[in-house]
Amino acid sequence: MIKLNKLSIRALGFAADDISLTIRPGEVHALIGPSGAGKTLILETIAGLYRPHSGKILINDQDVTRHPPEQRAFAYVPQDTSLFPHLSVEENILYGLRVTHQEIHSDIKQHVRRLTERLNISNLLDRLPGKLSGGERQRVALARALAIRPRLLLLDEPTSALDPAIKEETCYFFKELHREFRFSALLVTHNFEEAFFLSDVFSILIDGRIRQTGKRKEILYHPRDVDVARFLGVSNLFKGSIIRIKDDKVILSWEETGETITAKRTFRDEWVTEGMDIYWGVRPEDVHIVKGEHKREGENLFYANLLAVYSGKNNYNLVTRLASTGTVVKIALRDTVLHRLKISAGDLLQIHLIPETIILLPSG
């Protein structure tokens, strides 16, 4: 088990403070954050390239904070893969074994052979890195890192330089590799799709601090604060105050509109009390459009003018403005849903904010 205990780091004009997380055996842990948040600095400090200002790095409760990189048995794959251009693929893969003075006996040879087979690079062993594609170089770097059977694999934006098709292929290779070899890994990325596909646990890093750690569902639907919510795509964020709490329902005022909103209360919302000022939010994909012939009265139902429709990567992004107050509400729809609804800019819509999808957030 790998633990970071209250690390404080200062280097290269970046700072990270109070960094604590645990990586369990066989677990892939993703460290997600915007550019400049300090993700790579943390990764390189774990690898031993920088010494933290304070705090500890523990391997099975043994303090390795001041150990040189070669004594940690970690493997680091940087963004540019850092393959040696003058060495063949096979020599690159074996380099880590030689630099750590490991005898390359039959068991290790078999392990390396399995890696190259699983990564589909067995036919490339005699080539130089300059003759490889981006995806092939990334797979060779993975093989080199895993050849030493590291206690922890450190991956810095592993697919950032790859085109979409190769990126997807590399992610599948990684997933299959992890299923077979069950190594522990810390993945640094700003790509949500990649992180959620590859990882088991997620830590959100903003402004040099870990704001939240948890599983996918917890991170997505129960962000801890406004910054985390905004970073994770909760673009509909509003101010409000709690009017009353009854059983599993929270009734709150919508400050910008004067309207009343009903939200569902969960055990994670026990901090909420009557009279409290809060923020609340809803994901664009969770805003429901009521079809014209089914328009109805009830809680969390509003009329909105459709201002614009933009084509996104996986869906259409709609910008609406409440008919009563002009408050902007964003909606995300799959193309099939948009075509079925037959709506376009200028239409008057009825939208529904489903209580179960409303996220309650502290105001401070």
Side-chain angles (χ1 to χ4, degrees):
M1 184 180 294
I2 314 296
K3 287 186 179 181
L4 309 185
N5 186 12
K6 297 184 180 299
L7 286 186
S8 177
I9 310 164
R10 302 282 187 278
L12 303 177
F14 290 96
D17 289 294
D18 198 27
I19 303 300
S20 295
L21 57 83
T22 299
I23 305 164
R24 292 173 175 80
E27 180 179 89
V28 179
H29 194 122
L31 184 61
I32 316 171
S35 298
K39 303 184 299 295
T40 296
L41 176 62
I42 292 170
L43 209 65
E44 292 180 343
T45 301
I46 297 169
L49 303 182
Y50 299 104
R51 183 171 291 179
H53 181 71
S54 61
K56 294 181 179 180
I57 302 169
L58 305 171
I59 302 176
N60 297 328
D61 295 325
Q62 178 189 1
D63 187 354
V64 299
T65 311
R66 297 186 178 278
H67 288 196
E70 64 272 14
Q71 291 183 13
R72 302 185 185 202
F74 295 165
Y76 176 40
V77 181
Q79 288 187 40
D80 63 359
T81 70
S82 293
L83 297 178
F84 296 107
H86 62 291
L87 298 181
S88 68
V89 165
E90 183 175 27
E91 289 167 333
N92 265 285
I93 293 171
L94 297 177
Y95 179 83
L97 296 165
R98 289 180 173 134
V99 80
T100 53
H101 307 294
Q102 295 187 45
E103 183 182 348
I104 304 176
H105 49 68
S106 58
D107 178 55
I108 288 180
K109 287 181 180 179
Q110 183 179 2
H111 172 63
V112 170
R113 184 166 59 251
R114 285 172 60 205
L115 283 172
T116 58
E117 288 172 355
R118 297 299 181 272
L119 287 165
N120 197 25
I121 55 174
S122 299
N123 60 324
L124 307 176
L125 296 180
D126 294 330
R127 291 192 192 178
L128 292 174
K131 300 295 184 181
L132 304 177
S133 68
E136 288 168 344
R137 284 195 297 272
Q138 194 66 53
R139 281 181 271 149
V140 172
L142 272 174
R144 180 175 66 179
L146 292 171
I148 66 170
R149 291 191 173 104
R151 289 167 168 165
L152 179 66
L153 176 64
L154 301 167
L155 298 163
D156 189 2
E157 302 277 7
T159 66
S160 61
L162 306 179
D163 63 54
I166 301 300
K167 181 178 294 190
E168 183 177 356
E169 180 186 56
T170 302
C171 285
Y172 276 106
F173 272 119
F174 180 89
K175 200 74 174 176
E176 289 299 315
L177 209 61
H178 182 257
R179 185 176 290 116
E180 179 169 351
F181 294 97
R182 301 306 301 174
F183 48 83
S184 302
L186 178 61
L187 164 73
V188 155
T189 184
H190 64 271
N191 185 312
F192 298 126
E193 291 182 15
E194 179 179 288
F196 292 143
F197 180 74
L198 296 178
S199 307
D200 308 300
V201 181
F202 312 89
S203 291
I204 308 299
L205 184 77
I206 299 176
D207 295 333
R209 291 181 178 272
I210 291 179
R211 299 290 190 88
Q212 187 170 354
T213 295
K215 300 283 189 177
R216 181 180 187 275
K217 188 174 181 180
E218 179 185 353
I219 290 290
L220 281 178
Y221 293 101
H222 302 281
R224 188 167 293 168
D225 59 43
V226 170
D227 289 337
V228 172
R230 188 177 287 115
F231 176 68
L232 291 174
V234 185
S235 54
N236 294 312
L237 285 168
F238 310 102
K239 291 182 179 180
S241 59
I242 306 300
I243 298 173
R244 67 179 179 274
I245 300 170
K246 184 177 180 182
D247 300 326
D248 66 343
K249 282 190 175 182
V250 177
I251 312 300
L252 59 102
S253 66
W254 185 350
E255 182 178 300
E256 289 89 344
T257 68
E259 301 280 0
T260 298
I261 295 291
T262 299
K264 180 169 177 148
R265 190 187 194 204
T266 72
F267 71 92
R268 293 184 177 87
D269 301 321
E270 292 178 352
W271 55 272
V272 174
T273 59
E274 292 182 1
M276 174 183 285
D277 291 332
I278 66 164
Y279 281 92
W280 65 276
V282 60
R283 293 180 169 281
E285 58 267 31
D286 290 330
V287 180
H288 179 63
I289 295 177
V290 182
K291 292 182 69 173
E293 64 271 22
H294 297 127
K295 288 181 180 177
R296 60 184 191 268
E297 301 295 326
E299 63 186 19
N300 299 359
L301 285 162
F302 306 95
Y303 283 99
N305 295 301
L306 178 55
L307 301 181
V309 179
Y310 300 103
S311 178
K313 179 182 177 183
N314 297 313
N315 51 38
Y316 282 91
N317 300 307
L318 283 61
V319 180
T320 71
R321 194 183 295 275
L322 294 190
S324 58
T325 64
T327 303
V328 170
V329 177
K330 299 172 184 176
I331 305 172
L333 294 178
R334 292 285 182 182
D335 56 353
T336 52
V337 176
L338 181 70
H339 295 147
R340 187 173 71 245
L341 290 173
K342 297 180 180 178
I343 56 177
S344 58
D347 289 350
L348 180 65
L349 311 176
Q350 188 178 37
I351 62 174
H352 183 209
L353 308 182
I354 301 169
E356 288 80 3
T357 64
I358 290 175
I359 299 166
L360 304 179
L361 299 159
S363 61

